[in-house]
Amino acid sequence: MSEQNIFLLDGEEIAFAPGQTIMQAAQSAHKYIPHLCWHPEFKPHGSCKLCTVKINGRFGSSCTVEAAAGQNVENRTAELDDKRRTLLQLLFVEGNHFCPSCEKSGDCLLQATAYEMGMMTPHFDHFYPDRPVDASHPDVMLDFNRCILCSLCVQASELADKKNVFVMGGRGMRGRKIILNSESGKLGDTDFSVDDRAASICPVGVILKKRVGFVVPYGERTYDKAPVSAVEAAK
Amino acid sequence: MPFELETAAHPESLRRVAIEPVSRVEGHGKVTLLLDDNNKVHQVRLHIVEFRGFEKFIEGRPYWEVPVMVQRLCGICPVSHHLAASKAMDQIVGATLTPTAEKIRRLMHYGQILQSHALHFFHLSSPDLLFGFGSDVATRNIVGVVAAAPEIAKKGVLLRKYGQEVIRMTSGKRVHGTGSIPGGVNKSLHAEERAALQKDIYQIVAWSRDAVQMIKGLFAQNLAAYNAFGRFDAHNMCLVRADGAMDLYHGGLRARRSDGSTLFDHFDYDHYWDVITEDVKSWSYMKFPYFNAMGNSDDGWYRVGPLTRVTQCDFIPTPLADREREEFLAFDGGNAAGATLGYHWARMIEMLHAAEAIKDLLHDDDICGSDLMAAGKRQERGVGVIEAPRGTLIHHYRVDENDQVIRANLIVSTTHNNQAMNEAIRVVARQYLDGQELTEGLLNHIEVAIRCFDPCLSCATHALGQMPLEVEIVGVGGTVLDRMMRNGDGRCARPEPQ
């Protein structure tokens, strides 16, 4: 790695390999850039915008912008975290996120990131959209009330499982949604398996293994032990 | 048993007084009275005006989510709903609990009984009992108790705190934990948690004994008034253990008529609908359950809760509480055990029982075991019944083959007591309000009668409300003749007549 392959992240020197994105380089250096739709196993999607940073004074998605020598990247500034908090509030009111009775609570990247950004209220009026629950599969339940359209399930099913169980379809704020690749539109009529990579990729509480909800007690869930910034930086 | 004050013959000729909302209870309700020109009472009703929604919106949810979700209908005794739903879901998954799971759940439940009874007695009811039902409203509250009797107030706070610590260590949180899951629990006690609870339990038992002595002393000082206040005869229903002992976590249903004869005993609650039906009335969101054998809600209504449990069980399986039960039953020739205010005494006996039961469980190694879960043959229907702080609590669910709830019915303690509370306030209205000029102190007598039952109107209708009080006297023509308001801080004011 050349000495020139260094950029500044919140004033700290970060080394990168040619072709790495800012997010990938930060992850390699155990630095946390907030994100929801990015996952190291899959190509960046750039849709949630939580990973937006300022690169030499201009906004950019750190998951899609390649690292370059000499970049001055601002990440955890009050300005950016304020914008992230607003994005999170928009996501919370767009779906039906009832953390108190959600089995993903404590293991949910959306919830943990909201805590990290100091989100205390949803701020905006709730949409309360009418979204379905698909419990037709014997081992996995889908609760689309919590979907943030990160598309990780689409990628995992297509690229890792080679099944294309999930497809992003529809248009517009209320029309855009995940569609199941079966004639009935039900998960139970696809070849989805609880052992698929897509079964464990969901950052929120949409794709859930059945009959194991709440088996992990308070204090032992992922984000009970450490905030998301520490959990992600430790990876 | 007819309700002579439930419906007036000619309401159009009477003026209406409303106590809305009733204060120092959990939830939102109101009382209406219809009076004639001589202030004679013709109609008294306790209305529950909250909306009931949980039974509907848990439809479609996965069954394992239910014990966590339904407890959100209350912040005072969520553990009761958490456990009743869990017991129903145990049936859904066909599980027979491991010893560790059952004992952790019992520990959680006794912690709940302890904290809820302490809250009700010290925070909500002791101001009436210590200062008098018609005493100065400015001091008739928990702040007044703190000022006048700080040691009593302190014990109330610390008893409740201990109960909540028990809940936290067994369920993960003081309020709305997740410890109980279908088929078992998700944690047992760590050694350090057990040691921390053991350290204070003897003090808790001692303070609970003091609380029993306190209400006993109040009864002795005000014997005639306490025995007569809001007194009425009622049928009774509660869970009892197979040997007839009080068991707040599990048992069969026992029902006795008001004359003491048995209607059914050790009835398997899995088919509770064979003995209980819920009636509805147009003027309340809360249903009126009755015994099927009595034919209708006018004759078949009954009472649940501490007074029923303490008087109808054969014995209490902890020694100090059982000794107090015997004294309560014998006190004044048995009169106190039939008094509506006897609820408070019975409640404190149960708090002592809960403290003793916690002490015994803390010396049982099973509470630190690692065998937490069980499973069996999947079922479609589950019924869970528990004796919640306020009385018998029934949760009933049907779950489809996709693991989604397709039907739910909850009959909560306060619903069972609906007619009994109505009867109590009618008796009090006759005793204290008939022919009298309206005052805040007199109206508080109505609320004192309601508070005896420690109603949770939120649970009964599954929503939460505010606690100010508004009373109106409305003339025959609908004109508001008099109006009194009590703010959330307890102060009363009479605005200008409208």
Side-chain angles (χ1 to χ4, degrees):
Chain A
M1 189 179 293
S2 157
E3 283 188 9
Q4 283 78 34
N5 289 342
I6 287 172
F7 68 92
L8 291 179
L9 182 67
D10 287 337
E12 196 172 340
E13 291 187 348
I14 303 293
F16 66 92
Q20 273 191 321
T21 62
I22 292 171
M23 174 69 85
Q24 287 172 321
Q27 183 85 357
S28 300
H30 301 291
K31 300 298 176 189
Y32 170 64
I33 299 177
H35 60 86
L36 289 174
C37 69
W38 178 79
H39 192 285
E41 293 175 28
F42 301 104
K43 60 187 179 187
H45 195 242
S47 63
C48 77
K49 300 300 176 192
L50 257 290
C51 74
T52 299
V53 291
K54 261 189 171 175
I55 307 150
N56 297 334
R58 300 181 64 178
F59 291 111
S61 297
S62 62
C63 70
T64 55
V65 176
E66 283 194 10
Q71 285 172 327
N72 181 23
V73 179
E74 297 171 58
N75 173 30
R76 297 302 303 274
T77 63
E79 178 197 13
L80 286 165
D81 280 356
D82 281 349
K83 293 185 185 304
R84 289 171 179 141
R85 187 161 53 247
T86 301
L87 288 171
L88 288 160
Q89 288 167 325
L90 290 166
L91 285 171
F92 268 90
V93 301
E94 194 177 67
N96 297 310
H97 299 275
F98 304 124
C99 297
S101 59
C102 178
E103 63 190 89
K104 189 78 173 186
S105 188
D107 293 313
C108 173
L109 187 61
L110 178 68
Q111 182 193 51
T113 308
Y115 277 127
E116 180 76 26
M117 295 303 128
M119 180 184 141
M120 303 301 287
T121 70
H123 181 76
F124 303 104
D125 289 341
H126 283 276
F127 286 19
Y128 296 122
D130 185 10
R131 292 187 184 173
V133 172
D134 182 347
S136 58
H137 193 279
D139 302 315
V140 176
M141 190 185 86
L142 302 176
D143 188 343
F144 288 110
N145 286 293
R146 302 153 182 165
C147 186
I148 57 170
L149 299 175
C150 69
S151 84
L152 284 172
C153 57
V154 176
Q155 290 202 64
S157 187
E158 178 192 351
L159 302 173
D161 304 326
K162 312 296 183 191
K163 288 186 175 177
N164 288 314
V165 169
F166 304 98
V167 181
M168 191 77 84
R171 291 182 180 278
M173 188 169 61
R174 297 186 191 280
R176 192 79 168 150
K177 62 183 177 182
I178 296 291
I179 297 170
L180 279 300
N181 189 7
S182 68
E183 198 167 327
S184 65
K186 295 288 186 184
L187 187 67
D189 293 327
T190 69
D191 56 351
F192 189 74
S193 163
V194 71
D195 299 319
D196 286 354
R197 181 68 186 95
S200 58
I201 198 71
C202 182
V204 294
V206 177
I207 305 175
L208 299 164
K209 190 177 177 185
K210 281 187 171 182
R211 297 177 287 279
V212 295
F214 304 103
V215 294
V216 179
Y218 282 115
E220 295 181 23
R221 303 170 307 176
T222 306
Y223 301 113
D224 289 338
K225 299 169 186 169
V228 63
S229 53
V231 171
E232 289 291 316
K235 285 181 177 174
Chain B
M1 274 174 262
F3 312 128
E4 61 174 280
L5 292 182
E6 180 178 311
T7 303
H10 300 287
E12 68 282 358
S13 63
L14 303 170
R15 65 197 171 109
R16 177 174 176 271
V17 176
I19 304 174
E20 183 184 11
V22 177
S23 69
R24 276 190 280 141
V25 298
E26 290 89 29
H28 190 113
K30 69 176 179 182
V31 173
T32 58
L33 305 98
L34 294 188
L35 312 172
D36 65 16
D37 291 342
N38 298 316
N39 287 329
K40 181 173 174 53
V41 179
H42 287 260
Q43 177 177 304
V44 185
R45 289 173 174 178
L46 169 62
H47 307 253
I48 308 305
V49 294
E50 298 179 8
F51 175 65
R52 178 179 181 132
F54 269 74
E55 289 169 350
K56 192 64 186 170
F57 67 67
I58 59 173
E59 286 180 8
R61 301 310 306 171
Y63 71 78
W64 54 89
E65 190 178 283
V66 171
V68 174
M69 180 179 272
V70 293
Q71 64 176 339
R72 293 277 170 175
L73 57 80
C74 188
I76 303 296
C77 68
V79 168
S80 307
H81 293 288
H82 187 49
L83 292 179
S86 296
K87 288 181 72 176
M89 297 312 170
D90 291 343
Q91 293 185 352
I92 295 292
V93 301
T96 300
L97 294 187
T98 67
T100 294
E102 177 168 337
K103 287 171 185 175
I104 287 293
R105 284 193 189 176
R106 282 182 175 274
L107 192 56
M108 193 190 304
H109 189 45
Y110 291 128
Q112 163 70 20
I113 295 284
L114 183 78
Q115 73 86 14
S116 178
H117 280 2
L119 170 76
H120 180 261
F121 183 71
F122 290 98
H123 294 66
L124 303 183
S125 289
S126 75
D128 297 323
L129 303 172
L130 291 173
F131 304 137
F133 304 166
S135 59
D136 181 6
V137 69
T139 55
R140 197 198 319 130
N141 50 52
I142 185 60
V143 177
V145 175
V146 170
E151 278 307 305
I152 290 174
K154 181 181 166 190
K155 284 179 188 175
V157 170
L158 293 178
L159 278 163
R160 178 156 196 255
K161 181 185 177 189
Y162 185 87
Q164 290 191 293
E165 279 300 285
V166 173
I167 294 168
R168 183 180 67 80
M169 290 181 192
T170 50
S171 76
K173 286 169 69 182
R174 290 181 185 86
V175 183
H176 301 141
T178 60
S180 183
I181 53 180
V185 293
N186 66 16
K187 78 180 287 282
S188 58
L189 246 58
H190 305 135
E192 57 271 24
E193 291 173 329
R194 182 185 186 180
L197 292 176
Q198 281 178 334
K199 178 171 154 287
D200 292 328
I201 187 57
Y202 292 96
Q203 180 65 73
I204 296 302
V205 172
W207 283 345
S208 299
R209 295 181 77 178
D210 292 346
V212 179
Q213 301 312 312
M214 179 179 157
I215 183 65
K216 194 189 303 179
L218 287 165
F219 249 90
Q221 289 167 26
N222 307 282
L223 192 56
Y226 272 35
N227 277 342
F229 182 84
R231 191 186 188 92
F232 62 94
D233 291 328
H235 311 314
N236 289 282
M237 187 182 78
C238 63
L239 288 179
V240 290
R241 206 166 69 181
D243 60 358
M246 174 185 283
D247 193 333
L248 302 174
Y249 178 76
H250 190 67
L253 289 169
R254 168 176 287 179
R256 288 186 176 146
R257 299 181 185 87
S258 54
D259 63 6
S261 60
T262 297
L263 190 61
F264 51 83
D265 204 3
H266 303 293
F267 186 84
D268 184 349
Y269 61 64
D270 283 359
H271 293 83
Y272 69 89
W273 53 86
D274 288 339
V275 291
I276 300 169
T277 297
E278 292 178 280
D279 197 6
V280 292
K281 302 201 178 189
S282 60
W283 47 271
S284 178
Y285 283 127
M286 194 156 67
K287 293 178 183 174
F288 289 79
Y290 64 92
F291 292 138
N292 294 351
M294 315 294 275
N296 57 62
S297 61
D298 286 351
D299 299 317
W301 61 278
Y302 52 91
R303 189 164 58 185
V304 300
L307 186 63
T308 292
R309 293 187 296 235
V310 170
T311 57
Q312 303 303 317
C313 71
D314 296 340
F315 66 98
I316 298 177
T318 53
L320 297 176
D322 195 49
R323 205 174 305 153
E324 294 296 343
R325 180 191 70 90
E326 289 174 354
E327 191 171 337
F328 176 54
L329 294 181
F331 190 82
D332 191 34
N335 274 330
T340 297
L341 282 168
Y343 260 100
H344 293 303
W345 193 340
R347 194 169 285 117
M348 290 302 92
I349 292 172
E350 284 193 343
M351 188 171 76
L352 175 58
H353 167 56
E356 288 184 281
I358 290 169
K359 183 197 71 178
D360 292 344
L361 283 166
L362 289 175
H363 290 86
D364 187 328
D365 290 341
D366 280 344
I367 63 167
C368 293
S370 57
D371 192 6
L372 305 180
M373 293 290 295
K377 188 180 175 200
R378 180 78 155 67
Q379 306 292 323
E380 284 186 9
R381 189 184 69 216
V383 178
V385 178
I386 198 166
E387 283 295 335
R390 290 150 187 82
T392 313
L393 171 63
I394 299 172
H395 279 222
H396 175 192
Y397 304 98
R398 289 185 79 87
V399 177
D400 70 9
E401 68 278 7
N402 289 330
D403 300 320
Q404 291 174 287
V405 174
I406 54 174
R407 181 179 181 274
N409 188 36
L410 316 180
I411 309 179
V412 308
S413 323
T414 298
T415 305
H416 293 294
N417 273 335
N418 194 356
Q419 190 59 56
M421 289 188 292
N422 272 285
E423 189 61 18
I425 61 174
R426 283 166 196 150
V427 174
V428 169
R430 280 193 295 267
Q431 288 174 326
Y432 294 92
L433 271 63
D434 239 4
Q436 300 295 313
E437 190 71 23
L438 184 72
T439 66
E440 188 281 333
L442 277 179
L443 287 174
N444 187 53
H445 284 63
I446 295 270
E447 296 186 86
V448 168
I450 296 170
R451 283 184 206 116
C452 288
F453 297 85
D454 186 14
C456 185
L457 310 180
S458 313
C459 286
T461 52
H462 312 165
L464 286 172
Q466 300 299 311
M467 301 299 168
L469 170 77
E470 181 180 340
V471 180
E472 286 183 350
I473 301 178
V474 184
V476 175
T479 310
V480 176
L481 302 176
D482 195 3
R483 189 163 174 237
M484 285 184 76
M485 294 189 68
R486 179 164 61 206
N487 300 318
D489 61 7
R491 286 180 302 167
C492 281
R494 191 189 298 267
E496 290 298 315
Q498 296 178 1

